[in-house]
Amino acid sequence: KNQVEQSPQSLIILEGKNCTLQCNYTVSPFSNLRWYKQDTGRGPVSLTIMTFSENTKSNGRYTATLDADTKQSSLHITASQLSDSASYICVAHFGNEKLTFGTGTRLTIIP
Amino acid sequence: DSGVTQTPKHLITATGQRVTLRCSPRSGDLSVYWYQQSLDQGLQFLIQYYNGEERAKGNILERFSAQQFPDLHSELNLSSLELGDSALYFCASSVKLSYNEQFFGPGTRLTVL
């Protein structure tokens, strides 16, 4: 069964600190992996998209990594800001027109 | 602003009723996707249209249907509504197919009383 699992389910960190969110996927055949940021009550916004041949991709303070062998991805946030408080969703694209969504990590940044 | 528009923003209706949600994709995008997100739940893919044709189907109930019109806007019809249908409904669009980046609209919040 194609699945995407994210950890932790929720995370609280102090402003200015770094954090790393994890994503494990079991989809086949794998095409690409995406990270989205979703503010409460709003539509998700794409942060990164990586194909199986890409190991890392950055978008400002967000850096995603991908290990296609172990089927793991991580999203690292550097120097967190209050505006980073959101849900972060990992999404695996596989096969023909198929997307599997993780349930997300709820990140809260406190001053 | 993603360029994807959805109307209405909020919708309150009663059980058993029927509603229509509307989505206009970004200019030039041919694919439209519909998603359902219940309270504190992940996004559930419902259906995808590409250039007017149904392309992929997810966990869409038989009471739900959708279509994409020649001007590429799309409508999601929800009928015989139940309390459990209360959710945020998002539309997304992409240039061509789902391996392209998807841009999400602001969503329609549906409340069934």
Side-chain angles (χ1 to χ4, degrees):
Chain A
K1 183 181 175 182
N2 295 301
Q3 285 186 314
V4 174
E5 295 181 350
Q6 294 187 241
S7 62
Q9 200 169 36
S10 62
L11 182 62
I12 301 173
I13 64 171
L14 288 172
E15 185 180 10
K17 297 296 186 182
N18 304 335
C19 67
T20 300
L21 314 181
Q22 301 291 345
C23 173
N24 296 333
Y25 62 92
T26 54
V27 302
S28 180
F30 174 76
S31 178
N32 63 53
L33 189 125
R34 314 161 184 210
W35 284 93
Y36 284 90
K37 177 186 178 188
Q38 184 178 23
D39 292 317
T40 301
R42 308 194 70 168
V45 175
S46 178
L47 295 175
T48 62
I49 300 178
M50 291 181 292
T51 66
F52 64 88
S53 61
E54 295 176 289
N55 301 115
T56 185
K57 185 164 275 191
S58 291
N59 179 357
R61 295 179 296 102
Y62 301 99
T63 299
T65 63
L66 176 64
D67 186 333
D69 291 330
T70 61
K71 299 187 177 181
Q72 295 179 325
S73 177
S74 64
L75 180 70
H76 186 74
I77 304 175
T78 304
S80 60
Q81 300 176 357
L82 296 178
S83 60
D84 293 331
S85 293
S87 287
Y88 291 84
I89 305 169
C90 174
V91 185
H93 180 276
F94 64 99
N96 186 22
E97 302 301 311
K98 300 291 186 183
L99 287 172
T100 297
F101 287 76
T103 53
T105 292
R106 177 75 206 168
L107 176 64
T108 303
I109 311 297
I110 56 176
Chain B
D1 182 3
S2 67
V4 178
T5 61
Q6 290 187 248
T7 57
K9 193 167 184 174
H10 300 279
L11 197 50
I12 301 174
T13 187
T15 55
Q17 295 298 305
R18 172 189 169 96
V19 297
T20 296
L21 313 183
R22 183 188 169 102
C23 168
S24 293
R26 292 187 324 154
S27 177
D29 284 0
L30 298 178
S31 274
V32 169
Y33 313 78
W34 285 99
Y35 295 90
Q36 179 191 58
Q37 188 174 40
S38 302
L39 188 63
D40 293 332
Q41 298 294 312
L43 284 159
Q44 297 291 322
F45 168 65
L46 296 178
I47 197 164
Q48 177 201 358
Y49 279 82
Y50 173 70
N51 205 19
E53 300 290 327
E54 182 182 305
R55 179 78 183 183
K57 224 170 189 175
N59 301 320
I60 188 166
L61 300 172
E62 285 192 10
R63 301 183 286 110
F64 296 179
S65 65
Q67 55 183 328
Q68 186 179 28
F69 294 87
D71 67 351
L72 300 179
H73 91 270
S74 177
E75 292 181 355
L76 178 67
N77 300 296
L78 314 176
S79 61
S80 303
L81 285 168
E82 303 174 359
L83 296 177
D85 297 327
S86 295
L88 267 169
Y89 290 85
F90 289 105
C91 166
S93 72
S94 66
V95 173
K96 289 184 179 178
L97 301 175
S98 67
Y99 53 75
N100 299 126
E101 183 174 0
Q102 292 185 24
F103 296 86
F104 283 78
T108 292
R109 182 173 292 282
L110 173 66
T111 302
V112 182
L113 301 175

